[in-house]
Amino acid sequence: MTDHSSSGSAPAPGAPSDFIRDAVKQDLASGRFTYVRTRWPPEPNGYLHIGHAKAICLDFGIAAENGGVCNFRFDDTNPEKEEQEYVEAITADVRWLGFEWGEREFFASGYFEQLYQWGEQLIQAGKAYVCDLNEQEIREYRGTDVADKGPITVTLPGRNSPYRERAVEENLELFRRMRAGEFPDGARTLRAKIDMAHPNLHMRDPVMYRIRHATHHRTGDSWCIYPMYDFQHPLSDSIEGVTHSLCSQEYEIHRPLYDWFLENLGIFHSRQIEFARLNLTHTVMSKRWLLELVKDGRVRGWDDPRMPTLVGLRRRGYTPESIRDFVSRVGMSKTPSTVDIALLEHCLREDLNKRCMRAMAVLKPVKLVIENWPAGKVTQIEAVNNPEDPSAGSRTVPFTGELYIEQDDVREIPPPKYYRLYPGNQVRLRYAYIVTCTGVRKDPATGEIREVMCTCDPATRGGNAPDNRKVKATIHWVSAGHSIPVEARLYDHLFTAELPQIVPAGVDWMDTINPASLETVKGARVEPGLARALPGDRFQFERLGYFVVDQDSAPGSLVFNRSVSLKDAWARIEKKEAAGR
RNA sequence: UUCCCGGUAGUGUAACGGUAGCACAAAAGACUCUGGAUCUUUUUGUGGGGGUUCAAAUCCUCCCCGGGAAACCA
């Protein structure tokens, strides 16, 4: 990438461009780096969500676009929070998203010895010292005085630690004894000797190592001192020859420290660039809140289809392609932003529309009886599998004189602009026949329509109108005798509020969960061909939405998750009509 | 409170001193055997005040607003 001449012209359509990609190109052009290598550094302490997907796509994407590689590296330097279980879950999620890293899977814990040696090197250079101050004292000396109540703290000038001028030899001996396990947790730390008056608090002699007699998920009990993120991360990047270390914005203030360690060690200097993390409307993204939802049983688990986690989205029926498309459309910037979840849904619809098999399913069935249909007669109707993809072919669906149609497709008295079934009106049964409604039978107690009667025009077989009559509505159906019962789970936004993280005073945020975020429909019916569907299989249920077979399914009892509904023009009309009166 | 980073239609993102564009959303229409899809069209924007310049979203300055940080977490 040294094509200076084209730098002023617009990028090719579809080629992503943003301030980070621009910076990478400049670094190549200026000779700061001669190649591009990135890394994606998850901490194995939780499940991935779609915000992580943004970073994953960025790191792997930029590497690929520049002929480089992206290292997959676990930032596992806090044994108290990290577990092997998460390593596996994260690995599976990234693979599912569609990225490969071959042999380039690393662990920061794999660098512990090298990191330790660099710690000694800084001590020898007089740039690090062992400090005996406890946690509270360190805070006080740093100048950050935590108030007893509330989050407000006061920043004061920092003071040098009384241990700051320890002799090199003493520091070395103490650091070695720290490693040897001679001191209890928290007794001492190794600190960088920088500047206690620095306006950036991270530069006021930050802690490099702390003592933790804890078992690490990979190194076991071989270490009782663990490096801090600020010390570990730049050095791990350096070891791996990472050129561009891309991270979210909260690390921006850490960058001077990142640079300080690399400069003072005189080792390969990676460049850290920060970007704004992703937020979505109608959901929450923070690990803590997500965890609380799970712990409190407000959702069924990390993979609840309402969760913005990758496992949740997968179970919901999202495709990796749609998520990657979404991420690229969202773009990269430093502006704190909240993306409309409608964009995510749009990306899924667009992807699934092209490649999903259609099927007919009735969520809330009402019986339709064709009065002039010969008793017991069954005929096979040919139905197109995907109008967007002729190569998908067609299938047959059994048709009889007793069908189920959607409750919502019948009214005794039609509202304005309603052109589905009501007495006297005709509709087309998708791919089958044009029928005319002759009446409805209602439950005398509830007034609910129990049965719809109609007559069928045999000349319209296949749904054609030989006389060219206009039939405004086409509705879906299944044969009452052939269709199979299934459970459908209809999902909506987890929170009704657009920005659930803004909680009104006096309200528990968990009580703002959308009570309609999950509707379980037990008596749905689907066409018989779906009997063999397997978990993960996706369908478009005509006129309803995209559905995926859930893992809760068992042979003979299928469960479908609604991934996303189809756009519903009628719902908008109905809403508008209702608002208008 | 201190420090850091940001503010472009409703939302997200381009424009890199020279015509403010794209996507989603919203709205209108066309077409349609999914009120789907597709196609056409429309509405809405540079946070505010000062400067510099022939020319400012872009450069300078003050103000306002938003986000982040102030862990022996990452």
Side-chain angles (χ1 to χ4, degrees):
Chain A
M1 252 302 130
T2 47
D3 186 0
H4 304 253
S5 62
S6 68
S7 61
S9 60
S17 176
D18 51 63
F19 77 101
I20 295 179
R21 278 173 239 256
D22 290 347
V24 169
K25 285 187 174 62
Q26 275 167 25
D27 286 345
L28 254 13
S30 71
R32 175 169 177 172
F33 298 114
T34 55
Y35 65 95
V36 173
R37 182 171 306 161
T38 57
R39 108 267 89 120
W40 186 63
E43 182 187 14
N45 73 342
Y47 285 84
L48 264 28
H49 54 63
I50 192 163
H52 294 111
K54 177 180 177 180
I56 296 168
C57 291
L58 209 228
D59 285 320
F60 281 91
I62 283 188
E65 287 156 28
N66 291 281
V69 295
C70 176
N71 289 350
F72 186 41
R73 180 178 78 229
F74 286 95
D75 246 351
D76 57 347
T77 52
N78 184 358
E80 294 174 317
K81 287 187 179 174
E82 295 148 6
E83 292 168 30
Q84 185 59 28
E85 172 202 342
Y86 293 121
V87 169
E88 282 148 26
I90 290 169
T91 301
D93 278 350
V94 181
R95 284 235 169 78
W96 175 76
L97 244 198
F99 296 101
E100 266 307 324
W101 52 92
E103 299 297 300
R104 297 182 314 284
E105 179 168 315
F106 305 106
F107 293 82
S109 57
Y111 307 140
F112 277 172
E113 183 59 39
Q114 173 68 75
L115 262 24
Y116 174 84
Q117 293 303 330
W118 274 328
E120 285 206 354
Q121 186 180 324
L122 283 176
I123 290 173
Q124 244 136 6
K127 289 170 179 171
Y129 62 96
V130 172
C131 183
D132 299 358
L133 257 26
N134 67 30
E135 204 169 335
Q136 177 60 26
E137 289 165 339
I138 285 183
R139 219 193 311 270
E140 282 162 12
Y141 274 82
R142 190 193 294 121
T144 46
D145 183 22
V146 179
D148 285 340
K149 289 174 187 171
I152 296 178
T153 58
V154 180
T155 303
L156 308 162
R159 284 140 53 214
N160 285 352
S161 161
Y163 307 97
R164 199 172 200 260
E165 300 307 330
R166 273 220 258 242
V168 167
E169 281 314 313
E170 188 186 356
N171 282 322
L172 227 37
E173 188 207 330
L174 252 17
F175 188 41
R176 285 170 185 163
R177 289 172 61 193
M178 278 169 66
R179 175 180 184 169
E182 293 188 23
F183 310 116
D185 286 1
R188 290 181 222 264
T189 57
L190 181 70
R191 294 228 261 165
K193 193 192 280 191
I194 306 181
D195 178 5
M196 289 306 289
H198 199 106
N200 182 342
L201 267 17
H202 292 281
M203 299 295 274
R204 319 242 269 220
D205 290 9
V207 171
M208 295 161 59
Y209 270 94
R210 76 281 205 183
I211 302 172
R212 282 290 175 279
H213 293 268
T215 302
H216 186 277
H217 71 105
R218 288 184 66 86
T219 60
D221 295 320
S222 45
W223 291 87
C224 63
I225 57 172
Y226 290 93
M228 300 289 291
Y229 169 87
D230 283 315
F231 178 63
Q232 167 271 126
H233 204 90
L235 308 195
S236 297
D237 285 343
S238 186
I239 289 169
E240 296 179 10
V242 166
T243 57
H244 298 273
S245 184
L246 313 175
C247 59
S248 50
Q249 257 188 319
E250 66 262 33
Y251 294 103
E252 190 151 22
I253 200 162
H254 296 244
R255 179 153 32 100
L257 225 202
Y258 182 99
D259 292 335
W260 189 91
F261 281 122
L262 294 174
E263 276 162 23
N264 284 278
L265 249 10
I267 55 179
F268 179 80
H269 198 145
S270 318
R271 189 215 315 197
Q272 173 179 305
I273 304 176
E274 313 82 14
F275 58 88
R277 57 195 323 163
L278 173 70
N279 293 294
L280 272 183
T281 59
H282 300 290
T283 191
V284 293
M285 212 73 96
S286 95
K287 228 177 234 179
R288 204 194 94 228
W289 286 34
L290 258 16
L291 177 65
E292 280 185 50
L293 288 171
V294 173
K295 272 190 178 165
D296 212 58
R298 305 296 177 117
V299 295
R300 293 182 184 183
W302 287 100
D303 67 345
D304 187 296
R306 292 167 292 181
M307 294 281 274
T309 51
L310 260 22
V311 278
L313 290 166
R314 185 190 321 166
R315 190 166 177 184
R316 174 78 169 256
Y318 271 82
T319 60
E321 291 83 353
S322 66
I323 292 174
R324 284 189 254 125
D325 181 36
F326 170 74
V327 167
S328 84
R329 290 191 199 220
V330 161
M332 263 316 142
S333 76
K334 300 184 74 165
T335 315
S337 62
T338 302
V339 177
D340 193 337
I341 200 165
L343 179 61
L344 214 210
E345 295 171 342
H346 167 83
C347 293
L348 212 219
R349 284 195 192 98
E350 191 173 81
D351 185 25
L352 261 21
N353 177 48
K354 286 179 300 194
R355 54 186 184 151
C356 233
M357 297 283 267
R358 313 287 125 128
M360 287 197 283
V362 176
L363 256 22
K364 293 171 186 171
V366 57
K367 189 167 276 184
L368 178 115
V369 177
I370 302 174
E371 294 168 320
N372 59 339
W373 190 264
K377 181 184 172 187
V378 180
T379 187
Q380 296 296 326
I381 296 293
E382 184 173 7
V384 172
N385 281 332
N386 184 354
E388 303 292 319
D389 176 15
S391 72
S394 63
R395 67 191 186 281
T396 57
V397 186
F399 182 95
T400 60
E402 282 201 3
L403 309 172
Y404 285 122
I405 61 169
E406 209 70 60
Q407 272 174 22
D408 202 38
D409 288 339
V410 191
R411 302 294 167 91
E412 187 182 18
I413 299 156
K417 295 181 182 167
Y418 184 87
Y419 50 72
R420 273 112 92 152
L421 219 46
Y422 53 88
N425 195 38
Q426 57 180 347
V427 299
R428 177 173 15 241
L429 296 173
R430 180 79 156 155
Y431 298 125
Y433 291 94
I434 293 171
V435 297
T436 304
C437 180
T438 55
V440 299
R441 276 202 199 103
K442 296 194 295 182
D443 185 311
T446 64
E448 239 173 45
I449 296 177
R450 273 304 168 75
E451 206 169 283
V452 188
M453 281 80 66
C454 65
T455 56
C456 167
D457 182 347
T460 59
R461 175 162 180 127
N464 305 306
D467 52 355
N468 269 332
R469 77 236 238 193
K470 287 285 173 220
V471 179
K472 282 283 272 182
T474 298
I475 65 173
H476 57 276
W477 52 272
V478 295
S479 162
H482 298 81
S483 62
I484 52 177
V486 301
E487 176 178 324
R489 295 176 184 167
L490 311 182
Y491 300 101
D492 196 357
H493 301 147
L494 225 202
F495 294 87
T496 30
E498 195 171 287
L499 304 173
Q501 49 277 95
I502 299 172
V503 186
V507 174
D508 181 351
W509 68 273
M510 280 212 263
D511 292 336
T512 67
I513 290 176
N514 179 6
S517 61
L518 167 62
E519 183 190 350
T520 304
V521 178
K522 296 279 189 188
R525 319 271 313 187
V526 300
E527 57 177 77
L530 264 48
R532 296 181 306 276
L534 298 169
D537 285 353
R538 298 185 179 88
F539 301 91
Q540 184 203 87
F541 288 168
E542 297 228 17
R543 303 209 304 135
L544 297 173
Y546 297 94
F547 287 74
V548 63
V549 180
D550 189 78
Q551 63 202 40
D552 284 350
S553 298
S557 71
L558 288 171
V559 176
F560 285 89
N561 292 322
R562 183 174 68 193
S563 309
V564 65
S565 65
L566 250 26
K567 280 203 217 165
D568 189 348
W570 165 246
R572 279 209 302 270
I573 294 168
E574 203 176 22
K575 201 172 155 190
K576 209 161 58 180
E577 290 289 322
R581 53 201 62 228

